[in-house]
Structure formats: structure tokens, C-alpha cells
mmCIF file of all heavy atoms in Angstrom:
data_model
loop_
_atom_site.group_PDB
_atom_site.id
_atom_site.type_symbol
_atom_site.label_atom_id
_atom_site.label_comp_id
_atom_site.label_asym_id
_atom_site.label_seq_id
_atom_site.Cartn_x
_atom_site.Cartn_y
_atom_site.Cartn_z
ATOM 1 N N ASP T 8 -8.667 -0.817 13.378
ATOM 2 C CA ASP T 8 -10.111 -0.586 13.306
ATOM 3 C C ASP T 8 -10.532 0.168 12.044
ATOM 4 O O ASP T 8 -11.691 0.537 11.903
ATOM 5 C CB ASP T 8 -10.591 0.160 14.548
ATOM 6 C CG ASP T 8 -9.871 1.479 14.769
ATOM 7 O OD1 ASP T 8 -8.825 1.719 14.123
ATOM 8 O OD2 ASP T 8 -10.351 2.283 15.590
ATOM 9 N N GLU T 9 -9.613 0.374 11.129
ATOM 10 C CA GLU T 9 -9.914 1.089 9.882
ATOM 11 C C GLU T 9 -10.384 0.112 8.806
ATOM 12 O O GLU T 9 -9.861 -0.990 8.686
ATOM 13 C CB GLU T 9 -8.674 1.835 9.376
ATOM 14 C CG GLU T 9 -8.179 2.916 10.305
ATOM 15 C CD GLU T 9 -9.153 4.074 10.469
ATOM 16 O OE1 GLU T 9 -9.950 4.330 9.543
ATOM 17 O OE2 GLU T 9 -9.111 4.721 11.529
ATOM 18 N N SER T 10 -11.350 0.550 8.011
ATOM 19 C CA SER T 10 -11.836 -0.308 6.924
ATOM 20 C C SER T 10 -10.983 -0.162 5.665
ATOM 21 O O SER T 10 -10.997 -1.036 4.798
ATOM 22 C CB SER T 10 -13.289 0.015 6.604
ATOM 23 O OG SER T 10 -13.407 1.360 6.181
ATOM 24 N N GLU T 11 -10.238 0.951 5.590
ATOM 25 C CA GLU T 11 -9.447 1.210 4.385
ATOM 26 C C GLU T 11 -8.162 1.933 4.758
ATOM 27 O O GLU T 11 -8.175 2.857 5.569
ATOM 28 C CB GLU T 11 -10.272 2.058 3.424
ATOM 29 C CG GLU T 11 -9.703 2.198 2.049
ATOM 30 C CD GLU T 11 -10.690 2.886 1.123
ATOM 31 O OE1 GLU T 11 -10.973 4.075 1.324
ATOM 32 O OE2 GLU T 11 -11.178 2.209 0.210
ATOM 33 N N ILE T 12 -7.065 1.505 4.164
ATOM 34 C CA ILE T 12 -5.763 2.140 4.346
ATOM 35 C C ILE T 12 -5.217 2.437 2.955
ATOM 36 O O ILE T 12 -5.202 1.561 2.088
ATOM 37 C CB ILE T 12 -4.789 1.216 5.101
ATOM 38 C CG1 ILE T 12 -5.343 0.887 6.506
ATOM 39 C CG2 ILE T 12 -3.407 1.844 5.186
ATOM 40 C CD1 ILE T 12 -4.593 -0.202 7.229
ATOM 41 N N ILE T 13 -4.770 3.674 2.762
ATOM 42 C CA ILE T 13 -4.228 4.059 1.461
ATOM 43 C C ILE T 13 -2.716 4.241 1.582
ATOM 44 O O ILE T 13 -2.236 5.036 2.390
ATOM 45 C CB ILE T 13 -4.878 5.356 0.943
ATOM 46 C CG1 ILE T 13 -6.394 5.171 0.825
ATOM 47 C CG2 ILE T 13 -4.269 5.753 -0.407
ATOM 48 C CD1 ILE T 13 -7.155 6.408 0.426
ATOM 49 N N LEU T 14 -1.978 3.462 0.802
ATOM 50 C CA LEU T 14 -0.527 3.569 0.745
ATOM 51 C C LEU T 14 -0.172 4.459 -0.438
ATOM 52 O O LEU T 14 -0.557 4.170 -1.571
ATOM 53 C CB LEU T 14 0.102 2.183 0.572
ATOM 54 C CG LEU T 14 -0.220 1.168 1.673
ATOM 55 C CD1 LEU T 14 0.249 -0.224 1.265
ATOM 56 C CD2 LEU T 14 0.407 1.587 2.983
ATOM 57 N N VAL T 15 0.532 5.541 -0.159
ATOM 58 C CA VAL T 15 0.879 6.517 -1.196
ATOM 59 C C VAL T 15 2.399 6.529 -1.355
ATOM 60 O O VAL T 15 3.123 7.022 -0.485
ATOM 61 C CB VAL T 15 0.372 7.929 -0.832
ATOM 62 C CG1 VAL T 15 0.707 8.912 -1.945
ATOM 63 C CG2 VAL T 15 -1.121 7.916 -0.557
ATOM 64 N N GLY T 16 2.877 5.961 -2.461
ATOM 65 C CA GLY T 16 4.312 5.930 -2.728
ATOM 66 C C GLY T 16 4.765 7.197 -3.419
ATOM 67 O O GLY T 16 4.100 7.700 -4.321
ATOM 68 N N ILE T 17 5.890 7.721 -2.966
ATOM 69 C CA ILE T 17 6.464 8.908 -3.594
ATOM 70 C C ILE T 17 7.380 8.467 -4.730
ATOM 71 O O ILE T 17 8.351 7.725 -4.511
ATOM 72 C CB ILE T 17 7.242 9.760 -2.578
ATOM 73 C CG1 ILE T 17 6.300 10.251 -1.479
ATOM 74 C CG2 ILE T 17 7.950 10.927 -3.275
ATOM 75 C CD1 ILE T 17 6.984 11.040 -0.376
ATOM 76 N N ASN T 18 7.037 8.902 -5.931
ATOM 77 C CA ASN T 18 7.769 8.544 -7.147
ATOM 78 C C ASN T 18 7.908 7.032 -7.265
ATOM 79 O O ASN T 18 7.169 6.272 -6.645
ATOM 80 C CB ASN T 18 9.101 9.281 -7.217
ATOM 81 C CG ASN T 18 8.900 10.776 -7.423
ATOM 82 O OD1 ASN T 18 7.905 11.212 -7.982
ATOM 83 N ND2 ASN T 18 9.839 11.585 -6.938
ATOM 84 N N ASN T 19 8.842 6.576 -8.079
ATOM 85 C CA ASN T 19 8.929 5.152 -8.390
ATOM 86 C C ASN T 19 9.419 4.290 -7.235
ATOM 87 O O ASN T 19 8.857 3.244 -6.947
ATOM 88 C CB ASN T 19 9.809 4.931 -9.619
ATOM 89 C CG ASN T 19 9.175 5.493 -10.869
ATOM 90 O OD1 ASN T 19 7.956 5.582 -10.966
ATOM 91 N ND2 ASN T 19 9.997 5.894 -11.823
ATOM 92 N N ARG T 20 10.467 4.716 -6.559
ATOM 93 C CA ARG T 20 11.022 3.875 -5.488
ATOM 94 C C ARG T 20 10.102 3.823 -4.271
ATOM 95 O O ARG T 20 9.953 2.768 -3.653
ATOM 96 C CB ARG T 20 12.428 4.327 -5.123
ATOM 97 C CG ARG T 20 13.414 4.012 -6.259
ATOM 98 C CD ARG T 20 14.822 4.107 -5.833
ATOM 99 N NE ARG T 20 15.259 5.494 -5.711
ATOM 100 C CZ ARG T 20 16.512 5.869 -5.679
ATOM 101 N NH1 ARG T 20 17.474 4.976 -5.727
ATOM 102 N NH2 ARG T 20 16.832 7.135 -5.571
ATOM 103 N N GLY T 21 9.495 4.930 -3.928
ATOM 104 C CA GLY T 21 8.523 4.918 -2.834
ATOM 105 C C GLY T 21 7.321 4.057 -3.180
ATOM 106 O O GLY T 21 6.785 3.339 -2.336
ATOM 107 N N TYR T 22 6.903 4.129 -4.441
ATOM 108 C CA TYR T 22 5.777 3.307 -4.896
ATOM 109 C C TYR T 22 6.116 1.821 -4.794
ATOM 110 O O TYR T 22 5.291 1.019 -4.370
ATOM 111 C CB TYR T 22 5.395 3.681 -6.332
ATOM 112 C CG TYR T 22 4.169 2.966 -6.836
ATOM 113 C CD1 TYR T 22 2.904 3.420 -6.502
ATOM 114 C CD2 TYR T 22 4.276 1.837 -7.637
ATOM 115 C CE1 TYR T 22 1.758 2.766 -6.958
ATOM 116 C CE2 TYR T 22 3.148 1.175 -8.098
ATOM 117 C CZ TYR T 22 1.892 1.651 -7.757
ATOM 118 O OH TYR T 22 0.770 0.999 -8.200
ATOM 119 N N ARG T 23 7.341 1.469 -5.161
ATOM 120 C CA ARG T 23 7.756 0.056 -5.098
ATOM 121 C C ARG T 23 7.720 -0.442 -3.653
ATOM 122 O O ARG T 23 7.276 -1.548 -3.383
ATOM 123 C CB ARG T 23 9.153 -0.118 -5.707
ATOM 124 C CG ARG T 23 9.680 -1.516 -5.634
ATOM 125 C CD ARG T 23 8.828 -2.486 -6.453
ATOM 126 N NE ARG T 23 9.249 -3.841 -6.179
ATOM 127 C CZ ARG T 23 8.461 -4.795 -5.688
ATOM 128 N NH1 ARG T 23 7.198 -4.575 -5.460
ATOM 129 N NH2 ARG T 23 8.932 -5.995 -5.448
ATOM 130 N N ILE T 24 8.168 0.374 -2.718
ATOM 131 C CA ILE T 24 8.123 -0.013 -1.301
ATOM 132 C C ILE T 24 6.670 -0.120 -0.841
ATOM 133 O O ILE T 24 6.309 -1.044 -0.108
ATOM 134 C CB ILE T 24 8.930 0.967 -0.438
ATOM 135 C CG1 ILE T 24 10.415 0.869 -0.806
ATOM 136 C CG2 ILE T 24 8.717 0.676 1.053
ATOM 137 C CD1 ILE T 24 11.276 1.960 -0.208
ATOM 138 N N ALA T 25 5.820 0.800 -1.285
ATOM 139 C CA ALA T 25 4.392 0.753 -0.946
ATOM 140 C C ALA T 25 3.768 -0.541 -1.479
ATOM 141 O O ALA T 25 2.944 -1.160 -0.804
ATOM 142 C CB ALA T 25 3.669 1.978 -1.490
ATOM 143 N N GLU T 26 4.158 -0.962 -2.677
ATOM 144 C CA GLU T 26 3.671 -2.235 -3.234
ATOM 145 C C GLU T 26 4.084 -3.409 -2.344
ATOM 146 O O GLU T 26 3.291 -4.305 -2.083
ATOM 147 C CB GLU T 26 4.251 -2.479 -4.630
ATOM 148 C CG GLU T 26 3.601 -1.729 -5.740
ATOM 149 C CD GLU T 26 4.238 -2.064 -7.077
ATOM 150 O OE1 GLU T 26 5.484 -2.145 -7.188
ATOM 151 O OE2 GLU T 26 3.469 -2.254 -8.029
ATOM 152 N N MET T 27 5.322 -3.385 -1.900
ATOM 153 C CA MET T 27 5.824 -4.453 -1.034
ATOM 154 C C MET T 27 5.043 -4.478 0.279
ATOM 155 O O MET T 27 4.696 -5.554 0.780
ATOM 156 C CB MET T 27 7.321 -4.260 -0.790
ATOM 157 C CG MET T 27 8.157 -4.453 -2.044
ATOM 158 S SD MET T 27 9.853 -3.840 -1.890
ATOM 159 C CE MET T 27 10.539 -4.980 -0.718
ATOM 160 N N LEU T 28 4.762 -3.314 0.829
ATOM 161 C CA LEU T 28 3.962 -3.229 2.057
ATOM 162 C C LEU T 28 2.559 -3.783 1.834
ATOM 163 O O LEU T 28 2.047 -4.557 2.646
ATOM 164 C CB LEU T 28 3.874 -1.775 2.538
ATOM 165 C CG LEU T 28 5.121 -1.211 3.200
ATOM 166 C CD1 LEU T 28 4.998 0.300 3.337
ATOM 167 C CD2 LEU T 28 5.363 -1.868 4.555
ATOM 168 N N GLN T 29 1.945 -3.381 0.722
ATOM 169 C CA GLN T 29 0.601 -3.861 0.414
ATOM 170 C C GLN T 29 0.590 -5.385 0.295
ATOM 171 O O GLN T 29 -0.298 -6.051 0.835
ATOM 172 C CB GLN T 29 0.083 -3.228 -0.869
ATOM 173 C CG GLN T 29 -1.351 -3.635 -1.188
ATOM 174 C CD GLN T 29 -1.840 -3.097 -2.517
ATOM 175 O OE1 GLN T 29 -1.098 -3.099 -3.493
ATOM 176 N NE2 GLN T 29 -3.069 -2.621 -2.537
ATOM 177 N N ASN T 30 1.558 -5.943 -0.396
ATOM 178 C CA ASN T 30 1.644 -7.399 -0.544
ATOM 179 C C ASN T 30 1.781 -8.081 0.814
ATOM 180 O O ASN T 30 1.177 -9.121 1.057
ATOM 181 C CB ASN T 30 2.809 -7.793 -1.454
ATOM 182 C CG ASN T 30 2.556 -7.446 -2.899
ATOM 183 O OD1 ASN T 30 1.414 -7.310 -3.332
ATOM 184 N ND2 ASN T 30 3.620 -7.275 -3.659
ATOM 185 N N GLU T 31 2.570 -7.492 1.684
ATOM 186 C CA GLU T 31 2.783 -8.057 3.021
ATOM 187 C C GLU T 31 1.523 -7.956 3.878
ATOM 188 O O GLU T 31 1.245 -8.827 4.703
ATOM 189 C CB GLU T 31 3.954 -7.347 3.702
ATOM 190 C CG GLU T 31 4.426 -8.003 4.960
ATOM 191 C CD GLU T 31 4.958 -9.412 4.776
ATOM 192 O OE1 GLU T 31 5.743 -9.654 3.839
ATOM 193 O OE2 GLU T 31 4.575 -10.288 5.585
ATOM 194 N N MET T 32 0.732 -6.910 3.677
ATOM 195 C CA MET T 32 -0.469 -6.687 4.474
ATOM 196 C C MET T 32 -1.624 -7.593 4.045
ATOM 197 O O MET T 32 -2.491 -7.912 4.859
ATOM 198 C CB MET T 32 -0.879 -5.210 4.388
ATOM 199 C CG MET T 32 0.106 -4.287 5.074
ATOM 200 S SD MET T 32 -0.083 -2.555 4.626
ATOM 201 C CE MET T 32 -1.604 -2.140 5.455
ATOM 202 N N GLN T 33 -1.636 -7.997 2.792
ATOM 203 C CA GLN T 33 -2.726 -8.836 2.281
ATOM 204 C C GLN T 33 -2.784 -10.148 3.050
ATOM 205 O O GLN T 33 -1.764 -10.765 3.334
ATOM 206 C CB GLN T 33 -2.553 -9.102 0.790
ATOM 207 C CG GLN T 33 -2.805 -7.878 -0.040
ATOM 208 C CD GLN T 33 -2.586 -8.107 -1.524
ATOM 209 O OE1 GLN T 33 -1.983 -9.070 -1.946
ATOM 210 N NE2 GLN T 33 -3.082 -7.190 -2.319
ATOM 211 N N GLY T 34 -3.979 -10.529 3.421
ATOM 212 C CA GLY T 34 -4.177 -11.766 4.155
ATOM 213 C C GLY T 34 -4.017 -11.623 5.659
ATOM 214 O O GLY T 34 -4.297 -12.548 6.400
ATOM 215 N N LYS T 35 -3.524 -10.460 6.104
ATOM 216 C CA LYS T 35 -3.340 -10.229 7.534
ATOM 217 C C LYS T 35 -4.403 -9.309 8.121
ATOM 218 O O LYS T 35 -4.391 -9.029 9.316
ATOM 219 C CB LYS T 35 -1.963 -9.629 7.793
ATOM 220 C CG LYS T 35 -0.816 -10.581 7.507
ATOM 221 C CD LYS T 35 0.511 -9.915 7.793
ATOM 222 C CE LYS T 35 1.672 -10.867 7.662
ATOM 223 N NZ LYS T 35 1.902 -11.341 6.320
ATOM 224 N N THR T 36 -5.296 -8.816 7.279
ATOM 225 C CA THR T 36 -6.300 -7.866 7.727
ATOM 226 C C THR T 36 -7.533 -7.954 6.845
ATOM 227 O O THR T 36 -7.445 -8.396 5.696
ATOM 228 C CB THR T 36 -5.747 -6.426 7.703
ATOM 229 O OG1 THR T 36 -6.729 -5.527 8.197
ATOM 230 C CG2 THR T 36 -5.351 -6.001 6.302
ATOM 231 N N GLU T 37 -8.631 -7.487 7.387
ATOM 232 C CA GLU T 37 -9.843 -7.368 6.575
ATOM 233 C C GLU T 37 -9.939 -5.967 5.977
ATOM 234 O O GLU T 37 -10.814 -5.708 5.155
ATOM 235 C CB GLU T 37 -11.065 -7.690 7.423
ATOM 236 C CG GLU T 37 -11.103 -9.153 7.816
ATOM 237 C CD GLU T 37 -12.374 -9.538 8.527
ATOM 238 O OE1 GLU T 37 -13.377 -8.811 8.421
ATOM 239 O OE2 GLU T 37 -12.361 -10.587 9.192
ATOM 240 N N SER T 38 -9.051 -5.077 6.403
ATOM 241 C CA SER T 38 -9.023 -3.724 5.841
ATOM 242 C C SER T 38 -8.624 -3.786 4.372
ATOM 243 O O SER T 38 -7.766 -4.576 3.985
ATOM 244 C CB SER T 38 -8.000 -2.851 6.570
ATOM 245 O OG SER T 38 -8.306 -2.728 7.923
ATOM 246 N N GLN T 39 -9.231 -2.938 3.589
ATOM 247 C CA GLN T 39 -8.848 -2.831 2.186
ATOM 248 C C GLN T 39 -7.620 -1.932 2.118
ATOM 249 O O GLN T 39 -7.579 -0.881 2.752
ATOM 250 C CB GLN T 39 -9.990 -2.230 1.373
ATOM 251 C CG GLN T 39 -9.674 -2.111 -0.094
ATOM 252 C CD GLN T 39 -10.828 -1.513 -0.883
ATOM 253 O OE1 GLN T 39 -11.800 -1.020 -0.321
ATOM 254 N NE2 GLN T 39 -10.711 -1.551 -2.186
ATOM 255 N N THR T 40 -6.618 -2.349 1.377
ATOM 256 C CA THR T 40 -5.442 -1.497 1.186
ATOM 257 C C THR T 40 -5.398 -1.055 -0.263
ATOM 258 O O THR T 40 -5.405 -1.881 -1.174
ATOM 259 C CB THR T 40 -4.134 -2.214 1.565
ATOM 260 O OG1 THR T 40 -4.002 -3.401 0.809
ATOM 261 C CG2 THR T 40 -4.081 -2.533 3.039
ATOM 262 N N LEU T 41 -5.393 0.246 -0.457
ATOM 263 C CA LEU T 41 -5.303 0.829 -1.789
ATOM 264 C C LEU T 41 -3.905 1.372 -1.992
ATOM 265 O O LEU T 41 -3.233 1.767 -1.040
ATOM 266 C CB LEU T 41 -6.323 1.947 -1.960
ATOM 267 C CG LEU T 41 -7.787 1.554 -1.780
ATOM 268 C CD1 LEU T 41 -8.672 2.780 -1.911
ATOM 269 C CD2 LEU T 41 -8.184 0.501 -2.800
ATOM 270 N N LEU T 42 -3.496 1.433 -3.229
ATOM 271 C CA LEU T 42 -2.151 1.863 -3.575
ATOM 272 C C LEU T 42 -2.228 2.963 -4.615
ATOM 273 O O LEU T 42 -2.974 2.847 -5.597
ATOM 274 C CB LEU T 42 -1.390 0.653 -4.133
ATOM 275 C CG LEU T 42 0.067 0.801 -4.486
ATOM 276 C CD1 LEU T 42 0.902 1.152 -3.260
ATOM 277 C CD2 LEU T 42 0.578 -0.499 -5.093
ATOM 278 N N THR T 43 -1.483 4.031 -4.392
ATOM 279 C CA THR T 43 -1.396 5.103 -5.383
ATOM 280 C C THR T 43 -0.008 5.723 -5.301
ATOM 281 O O THR T 43 0.814 5.345 -4.470
ATOM 282 C CB THR T 43 -2.516 6.153 -5.188
ATOM 283 O OG1 THR T 43 -2.543 7.009 -6.336
ATOM 284 C CG2 THR T 43 -2.306 6.983 -3.932
ATOM 285 N N ARG T 44 0.230 6.687 -6.180
ATOM 286 C CA ARG T 44 1.560 7.296 -6.268
ATOM 287 C C ARG T 44 1.436 8.815 -6.318
ATOM 288 O O ARG T 44 0.505 9.361 -6.901
ATOM 289 C CB ARG T 44 2.244 6.795 -7.541
ATOM 290 C CG ARG T 44 3.588 7.382 -7.802
ATOM 291 C CD ARG T 44 4.213 6.953 -9.146
ATOM 292 N NE ARG T 44 3.582 5.822 -9.782
ATOM 293 C CZ ARG T 44 4.198 4.677 -10.083
ATOM 294 N NH1 ARG T 44 5.465 4.518 -9.822
ATOM 295 N NH2 ARG T 44 3.548 3.712 -10.681
ATOM 296 N N ILE T 45 2.413 9.468 -5.708
ATOM 297 C CA ILE T 45 2.599 10.919 -5.857
ATOM 298 C C ILE T 45 3.845 11.100 -6.705
ATOM 299 O O ILE T 45 4.881 10.487 -6.436
ATOM 300 C CB ILE T 45 2.807 11.617 -4.495
ATOM 301 C CG1 ILE T 45 1.516 11.653 -3.709
ATOM 302 C CG2 ILE T 45 3.347 13.028 -4.694
ATOM 303 C CD1 ILE T 45 1.644 12.318 -2.357
#
């Protein structure tokens, strides 16, 4: 029921996994998924 989900990857490897999650989520939801890094 969320309109926006933010995926926050920790450093490079966490960010890469977050990217993979975002790619997998696209097309399966109307929620916007944003990606950033810590």
C-alpha cells in the first residue's frame, strides 16, 4: 500500500544488491522504487 519504497545500499556491494532488487521489483508494482547509497 506504499506509493514509494527507498532501497538504500550500504557501500558498493550493498548498492549492487539494491539495484538487483529494484530491477526485480519493476513491473510488479505501481509503487515508485528509489535507489540510493550509504
